[in-house]
Amino acid sequence: MRCGFAAVIGAPNAGKSTLVNALVGSKVAIVTPKVQTTRMNVRGVAIRGEAQIVLVDTPGIFKPRRRLDRAMVAAAWTGAADADAVVLLVDAPDRAGNQQGHAARDSEAIIEGLKAANRKAALALNKIDAMKREELLPLAEKLNAAGVFEQVFMISALKGDGLNDLAEWCAGKMPEGPWLYPADQSADIPSRLLAAEITREKIYLRLHDELPYASAVETEKWEERKDGSVKIDQIVYVQRDGQKAIVLGKGGATIKKIGELARKEMEEVFARRVHLFLFVKVSEDWAETRAHYREMGLEFPEE
Ligand SMILES: Nc1nc2c(ncn2[C@@H]2O[C@H](COP(=O)(O)OP(=O)(O)OP(=O)(O)O)[C@@H](O)[C@H]2O)c(=O)[nH]1
Ligand SMILES: [Mg+2]
């Protein structure tokens, strides 16, 4: 038997969480069209033959400014350092079309980081469903020139193309040893945290501009009821009164919608009835507060 960790790293929005969910075969990490959706390392489990692959979804790596950004990027690099296999995921259409953009600079910096750490990885060019084939090869050659990649894969995490080969490569990298998880377990995230992530996904999907980045969600109470249902109280933190007004919406319409969508998904994920109560709180400095980081499973950066 084999078992080990495969970390998926890359610039924000490359499709890391989509890929991990696809390889695992169920949703373990939240996905949105916005950058910096993932804030902490999330483990999902895939099985290929005799190998159990513990996939580690990581926050996007970019040039961090805020304290939370620094904690996220540090978590991603730790994920890579601790892994038996590293997959660098690149948004291929974005890279092919825009050589000067954020994603280009971020993925170059990640390649430099891998090189500096003497870390071999697989390169996975993602979103090939959304680009011209003829742009793919030149991009692969360009990125491969750095000499840090053992193998290049061209995939669509969304459509499922090319995932088998990538999974096989990961499986081959897993060291011999007993499985870490029971064969039927696909996620390793506490239910309270998963519930908070689900609500955060709905916030990212419904609200725009700086609001998602100014918000955090915490599960405050998880109450099992006799009828088999669960009552979940969550706090949605924002940083200013004006943001609170936006999250609430006219007559509370926005928070109601977010709550509805989140509850529906929680009922599916937890396979039971859920009573969800969301409270919006203004906390100017939640992103400067140590306890929040602990709750999210992040190290608190001292500066
Ligand atoms: N067309 C296309 N879109 C994709 C593919 N993979 C992911 N996406 C989309 O890309 C966006 C970002 O996906 P995520 O999985 O959240 O990306 P991420 O790398 O985890 O992003 P962060 O957590 O913010 O770093 C979403 O809108 C996905 O649906 C793909 O193969 N093809
Ligand atoms: Mg993500």
Side-chain angles (χ1 to χ4, degrees):
M1 280 181 149
R2 299 158 166 277
C3 182
F5 293 86
V8 180
I9 66 170
N13 214 42
K16 299 175 294 299
S17 301
T18 306
L19 174 63
V20 167
N21 290 340
L23 290 172
V24 168
S26 66
K27 182 164 166 178
V28 297
I30 63 171
V31 169
T32 82
K34 294 192 171 63
V35 297
Q36 295 160 40
T37 297
T38 302
R39 287 184 177 167
M40 72 246 174
N41 295 350
V42 176
R43 290 177 182 185
V45 187
I47 292 168
R48 284 292 182 287
E50 59 178 12
Q52 188 172 58
I53 309 163
V54 184
L55 290 147
V56 184
D57 180 28
T58 64
I61 295 176
F62 59 105
K63 205 166 165 233
R65 284 181 298 128
R66 307 175 303 165
R67 193 192 297 266
L68 176 61
D69 300 340
R70 288 196 293 278
M72 287 158 50
V73 171
W77 279 117
T78 304
D82 293 346
D84 302 291
V86 174
V87 178
L88 171 62
L89 194 65
V90 169
D91 184 328
D94 186 69
R95 280 298 318 260
N98 182 3
Q99 295 298 338
Q100 313 303 327
H102 278 288
R105 259 178 286 141
D106 292 334
S107 52
E108 288 306 332
I110 299 167
I111 292 173
E112 284 310 310
L114 289 169
K115 215 174 177 177
N118 205 7
R119 202 64 237 248
K120 291 277 189 228
L123 172 66
L125 297 175
N126 190 30
K127 310 194 186 181
I128 59 167
D129 58 284
M131 70 187 296
K132 295 198 204 88
R133 287 284 158 150
E134 60 264 29
E135 292 179 335
L136 208 45
L137 227 53
L139 179 63
E141 275 168 15
K142 181 172 188 278
L143 296 176
N144 211 5
V148 296
F149 300 115
E150 289 180 2
Q151 195 106 33
V152 181
F153 299 93
M154 298 179 185
I155 68 170
S156 167
L158 191 67
K159 310 271 184 209
D161 295 333
L163 300 191
N164 262 333
D165 289 346
L166 179 58
E168 286 305 327
W169 180 83
C170 291
K173 289 273 158 197
M174 299 297 104
E176 275 183 29
W179 289 8
L180 276 170
Y181 295 93
D184 59 355
Q185 186 172 346
S186 59
D188 183 9
I189 173 172
S191 300
R192 298 170 69 103
L193 192 52
L194 180 56
E197 285 290 277
I198 290 169
T199 302
R200 202 164 61 77
E201 181 187 77
K202 306 314 170 203
I203 290 172
Y204 268 58
L205 293 174
R206 301 289 303 191
L207 299 171
H208 306 292
D209 303 319
E210 92 284 7
L211 229 158
Y213 306 102
S215 66
V217 179
E218 232 169 70
T219 300
E220 210 197 9
K221 258 196 212 149
W222 179 285
E223 227 173 80
E224 305 280 342
R225 293 212 169 148
K226 281 209 185 76
D227 62 4
S229 67
V230 57
K231 174 177 174 284
I232 301 173
D233 292 355
Q234 292 182 327
I235 302 174
V236 177
Y237 288 101
V238 292
Q239 290 170 328
R240 294 197 305 273
D241 285 327
Q243 293 168 339
K244 177 171 174 175
I246 296 170
V247 175
L248 292 174
K250 239 193 200 141
T254 304
I255 192 77
K256 189 170 166 218
K257 190 73 205 166
I258 289 169
E260 249 170 52
L261 293 168
R263 177 185 53 77
K264 281 203 187 110
E265 186 164 329
M266 288 176 201
E267 291 192 329
E268 266 175 47
V269 170
F270 300 125
R272 61 204 292 194
R273 279 194 64 204
V274 170
H275 312 275
L276 176 65
F277 296 88
L278 299 178
F279 305 91
V280 185
K281 260 195 198 166
V282 178
S283 162
E284 228 172 279
D285 62 353
W286 67 258
E288 299 300 321
T289 312
R290 198 175 286 269
H292 281 291
Y293 287 74
R294 199 176 318 118
E295 186 83 14
M296 290 190 281
L298 287 172
E299 294 279 341
F300 183 74
E302 288 306 330
E303 50 189 285

